[in-house]
Structure formats: C-alpha cells, structure tokens
Amino acid sequence: MSSRTDRPAGALNPWRDLWLPAATTAAMVAALWLVFVVVPSERVQGTVQRIFYFHVHLAWMAFGGFVVTAGASVAYLARGQRAADRLAEASAEVGLLYTTLVLVTGPLWARPIWGVWWTWDPRLTMTVVLWAIYASYLMLRRLGGRDEVILRYAAVLGVVGVLDIPLLIIAIRLWRGVHPAVLLAKDADAGLANPMMVQTLIVAGVALALLFAWLVVLRMQFSALDDEVEALSAEVAA
Amino acid sequence: MTGLWFLAAAYTAIWFAVVLYLLGLGRRARTLEKEVAALRSRAGGRD
Amino acid sequence: MWVILRKDLAIERRTGEILSSLLLLALLMVLVFAFTLEPERLRDPGLLAGLLWATLLFSSTLAFGRSVVLEREAGAWTALAMAPIDRGAVFLGKVAANLVLLLGAAILVLPVMAVLLGTRALVPSALLGLSLVLGTTGMAAAGTLGAALASRTRAREVLLPIVTFPLLAPLLIAVVRTTAGGLVGTPLVALRPWLVLLGSFDLVFLVVGWLTFDHVLED
C-alpha cells in the first residue's frame, strides 16, 4: 500500500469499463425497440401485456441474485475472501433493486388486467417476503458497519435467507393454492403465439441480465474503493 | 388508452430507478475517490 | 449443550426477568387486540390462533434480544466463545432455554387469551400440543440465531425483528393453520402437510444454526 501509483480500485479495465456497459446499452436499446415498436400487442390483454417482457425477467433475476448472494456468502464463510463478500453485498443490493421493480411493475400490470393493484396470490406474496429478506440483510450490513464480525454475520444471514425460500414456497402454495392460472391460461391460449414475442422475451432477458451484471460490477468496484479509503485512513492515522 | 398509461408508468419506473441507482453510486464513488486522493497526498506528504 | 441450558434456566429461575416480562407483554397484547379489533369479532378460534402467534412473535423477539444482551453485558459471550465446548452445542443450549420460556409462555397465555376473548370452542388436542411445540421450537431457533446476528449492531432492538420476521413467514403461515385446527378439533391427518412443513422448518433452522454458530460466536 506504499506505492502511490498502484490504484487497484480505480484502474481502467477494458472488459469491465468499456465492453460490459456498451453491450448492456446495446441490448437494452434493442430490447426496448422490440418491446415498444416491433412486437405486436397481445390479443387478450392489449398493450399492457408489454410490461411482461421486463417484469418476468426482473422477477427471475431477483431470485437469481439471492442465490448468488448465498453462494458468495458460503464462499466468504469458508475462505474469508473480501471479494466474495463484495459479490454477496453487490448482488443483494442489485437484487433488492430488481425486486423493488418487480413490486412496482407488477401492480401496474395487475390493475388493468385483474382490476386490483394487489392480491395475495402466491407469487406476489413470495416476492414481498423475498423483498423483506433482502432488505433485512442489507439493513444488517448498514447498521453493523464494516466490521469483520458483521461481514460474517451478514454471510450467515445470506445463507439462512436462501434456505428459507423453499419453505416459504411450500407454505405459500399450501396457503393460497396453486397460482390462479391467470398467467398460464393466457400464455397457453393467446400469449406468446407470435414468434416475435418469444424473441422479444429473449432479448429483454439478455439486456436485463447484462444490466444486472454491470450494476453488480459497479457496486463491487465501489466497495473496493471504500476498502481503499479505510486502509488509507488507517495508514495515515498510524 | 389506459393500457398505454400503465405501460408507460411501468417502464418509466424501471428507468427512473436504474438511473437513480447509477447516479447515486457514481456520486458516492466520486466522494470516495476524492477522499482517496486527499489521504494519498497526506500519506505522501509525510513520507 | 445441557450445561448451557441449565445455566440459562438457572439465571432465569433466580431473576424470573424474562418469563415475567414475556407474560406481562403477552397480556398487554391481548388488551391491545381487544381495544383495536372489537372484542366481539374475536370469538372465532381461527382468529385466536392468529392472535396467539402474533403475540408470541412480538413477545419472543423482545425476550430473545434480552437474553443475548444479558450475555454481552456480563462479558459472558466472549467466555462462551472461548469455552472448550462445541459452538453448535452453545446454540442448541440457547435455543433449548428460549424454547422452554416460550413454550411456557404459550401454555400460560393461550387459556388466558381464550377466556378474555370468549372463544367459543377450545378443545385441547394432540394437534394443538404438537402445533405449540413445533411452532415454538422454530421460533426459538430462528429467534436465537437472529438475536445473535443482530447483537453486534447499533439499534439491535430494531434489527432483531427486521431480521427474524421475514424468515419466520413460512412458520407463521403453517403454525396458525395447525393451531386453529387443533382448537376446533380437526383430525391430525387432515393437516399433515402443514405439520411436515413445520417439522422441516424446525429442522432447517436447528441444523443451520448449529452449523453456522461457529462463525457467529467467533469474536
């Protein structure tokens, strides 16, 4: 840490700082163009159904983000690498962003179609609890500071949180019955009949996955910078 | 027509949130970078 | 593990601090429900089950938080970490002590609640007993883990329920169903999937807590 020229956190990396953002932007523009201009409106639901192309991926990636957080947490507990902890935190934060967006776009889709903003349908219930678990994980990190013990506690919570999910799914299924076939029936009968719809869905998926990855990378870079500040102030104080 | 309103609202929300997140992260990162620079010069000054 | 259990219970016997506050709080919750939700509407056994578990949930977070804070204040946490025993056993011992308190509170609070709210049907049954045991076990396991995780932060009193409530969601959904069934005398087999779910929840949290307490206690 003595050299003034080495800047691990701020150094430019072509893959990370150029290609990833560029690919994300390109995929996003393509996805938006497909969603708004190219793809035909779905027969039963009309224009509103276009929310679906982003909404579904946001939901799945929110789940995926949680799995990444749990995996990275296990790695951190096992080997104690700072990078694993940064990945866990970044993935949880971007996951919370995605989950929030699921909860915002969901009601905006449900209102015109089902006539209500919210129902206690299994998937909605699930998403809301998932949001709460993510939020509590990040809250623990925020209130706990960057103490090494807290990082370990957060990792334990990350693991416990993901183990809670299967139990939650079973509980909610038993409680509210199987998903009231709204989505399934629609998909089977009119839904994605048009091949253009499938392509749009795929492109939107790629775009949102790239966005997720880019945001996670940015967030990890930020943590690294934060660590550097910490290390430097310790050095100055010494 | 209302369908269009809900559609616009949903995608606006997505973009608003993502851009806000990016801006927030960028702003915090700049503050930290300044701090790094300040600390570096202090550490350097003492050498 | 038994040593920890005996030690915690011995402290509790001497002070009675946690159990008495648990009971008082539960009683106050009954009053709160009666005032806010029109007592006449609360006669339904299904509602009694819901209110019982809501009461236990709120009371338990306060009690469990207290039990970890007591250890930290006495500096016993570090001693526990250094003691030549398996840390997993420390966790199980703590859970057992919390379980005894919580189950005791549940058994005392349930009839009081039923009487005060004038619940129509109250059939003591095997299903009811099983629900109480499985429910409080899961709550004790998740609550003990949550209390330990929250204990090192600022505002831990706030953080403890924030951490444990979402994790307890599956348990709550299940245990309220089985308790309500137990109160009205539903045959046990009818609620089997719920009981299996409760059992799995308890098992998952006991095992995970037992495995991860190694990392939690290590400071």
Side-chain angles (χ1 to χ4, degrees), chain A residues 29-66:
Chain A
V29 169
L32 287 174
W33 177 67
L34 283 169
V35 167
F36 282 98
V37 182
V38 178
V39 86
S41 270
E42 198 264 343
R43 253 188 297 142
V44 184
Q45 300 190 10
T47 332
V48 197
Q49 188 262 350
R50 288 164 205 252
I51 293 178
F52 160 87
Y53 298 112
F54 272 52
H55 176 81
V56 166
H57 292 301
L58 286 170
W60 280 110
M61 285 167 200
F63 267 93
F66 217 132

Side-chain angles (χ1 to χ4, degrees), chain A residues 13-27 210 214:
Chain A
N13 168 329
W15 182 82
R16 185 189 66 194
D17 298 314
L18 185 63
W19 293 116
L20 187 56
T24 307
T25 314
L210 283 170
W214 184 41

Side-chain angles (χ1 to χ4, degrees), chain A residues 67-81 84-85 88 154-156 158-160 162-163, chain C residues 212 215:
Chain A
V67 176
V68 172
T69 297
S73 297
V74 171
Y76 181 70
L77 286 178
R79 293 199 221 105
Q81 293 155 326
D85 176 71
V156 170
V159 176
V160 174
V162 88
L163 290 174
Chain C
T212 54
H215 300 285

